[in-house]
Amino acid sequence: MSEFKGLLFDLDGVIVDTAKYHFLAWKQLAEELGINFTEKDNERLKGVSRMRSFEIILEIGNREMSEEDKEMYCTKKNAVYLEYIKKLREDEILPGVKDFLVHAREKGYKLALGSASKNAPLILNQLKISDLFDEIIDGTKVSKAKPDPEVFCKGAEALGVPYEQCIVFEDALAGVEAAHNGGMKAVGIGLPENLPGAEMHIPGLYAATIEEIVAKLG
Ligand code: BG6
Ligand code: MG
């Protein structure tokens, strides 16, 4: 085995494409509030917490709201989002993800999820892959959002692996920065121009094995 011992995975955009469901739920709320919210705007919400996402939507609509009302609308959005998540099927897992996780475990790596989503455990359950992770750090366990490294540091600590022996898999720039802020290497899932700074880039977990990644990072 390599000098790397822990693998930390973002959820949305790495394991499963939930961005489309977040969009549908936010869009419904934005319409109710008379705010024009587009798919392009939705890009800004990737990797961002639920409350911060809503604040961005309010900024787009040039609106202000009390903290109490913001909480109320976030709860409402989540109820709509959960309706989609309850219907999430196993085959919506992104290509190659399951094989990658199973193989990495067989090779002795420790695996953790590091996600801003408070719904992460439910999503993993729907996809029937909860058991493939040794530890799950979700949005309920962190107080600081990416690019703060808290979510990945907690993941590494839960795995009992030093930060510098962890590799982070991320599709959002803030997530790549979070990895670096924690002293970890980052594999960018996506195009190099969208994720500058990541030590390597792949289009998805189907595109490389853990051995190939480690060989490149080492
Ligand atoms: C991140 C998504 O993983 O989770 C964001 O990329 C989302 O778009 C955030 O806002 C919080 O998700 P949830 O499920 O707690 O509302
Ligand atoms: Mg993501």
Side-chain angles (χ1 to χ4, degrees):
M1 218 171 123
S2 66
E3 58 166 304
F4 296 108
K5 305 218 167 356
L7 308 181
L8 307 172
F9 297 85
D10 173 48
L11 175 68
D12 295 310
V14 172
I15 305 283
V16 61
D17 177 19
T18 45
K20 58 188 176 211
Y21 301 127
H22 279 297
F23 175 69
L24 291 170
W26 282 129
K27 178 86 183 153
Q28 186 171 322
L29 197 69
E31 269 170 15
E32 193 183 311
L33 292 167
I35 297 172
N36 184 29
F37 176 62
T38 66
E39 285 201 57
K40 188 162 173 274
D41 295 327
N42 195 52
E43 289 300 307
R44 292 175 60 191
L45 310 188
K46 288 188 177 172
V48 172
S49 75
R50 192 181 307 165
M51 178 54 86
R52 184 63 201 134
S53 296
F54 187 48
E55 286 169 352
I56 291 172
I57 293 169
L58 289 176
E59 278 165 33
I60 291 167
N62 214 1
R63 295 275 290 272
E64 280 181 21
M65 211 177 256
S66 69
E67 291 303 313
E68 204 183 344
D69 283 352
K70 283 198 274 188
E71 288 287 351
M72 187 270 286
Y73 278 112
C74 280
T75 304
K76 198 166 173 182
K77 178 267 177 178
N78 198 50
V80 176
Y81 178 64
L82 283 178
E83 287 305 311
Y84 291 108
I85 293 307
K86 277 188 218 150
K87 287 184 236 147
L88 194 68
R89 295 185 324 262
E90 256 179 283
D91 62 7
E92 287 182 73
I93 188 163
L94 287 169
V97 169
K98 202 163 173 182
D99 287 347
F100 187 97
L101 300 178
V102 169
H103 179 72
R105 284 176 73 85
E106 280 169 5
K107 290 288 160 191
Y109 291 93
K110 294 263 177 222
L111 274 53
L113 191 87
S115 170
S117 173
K118 294 180 175 166
N119 297 305
L122 174 67
I123 293 169
L124 292 182
N125 210 24
Q126 290 291 113
L127 298 173
K128 300 196 170 54
I129 54 168
S130 308
D131 294 352
L132 294 178
F133 293 92
D134 298 290
E135 298 291 340
I136 293 167
I137 310 297
D138 63 33
T140 65
K141 295 185 178 157
V142 291
S143 54
K144 287 172 256 168
K146 301 169 188 176
D148 189 283
E150 184 184 16
V151 70
F152 295 132
C153 290
K154 284 201 166 164
E157 282 157 23
L159 294 178
V161 177
Y163 300 163
E164 63 278 9
Q165 290 178 13
C166 288
I167 303 172
V168 168
F169 296 82
E170 256 294 347
D171 71 315
L173 185 57
V176 169
E177 290 169 356
H180 291 163
N181 289 337
M184 304 166 192
K185 295 226 161 100
V187 175
I189 308 292
L191 297 170
E193 53 263 46
N194 295 336
L195 300 167
E199 277 72 20
M200 77 177 275
H201 299 86
I202 50 175
L205 289 176
Y206 65 88
T209 63
I210 188 60
E211 287 91 339
E212 287 163 350
I213 290 168
V214 161
K216 188 142 185 201
L217 294 181

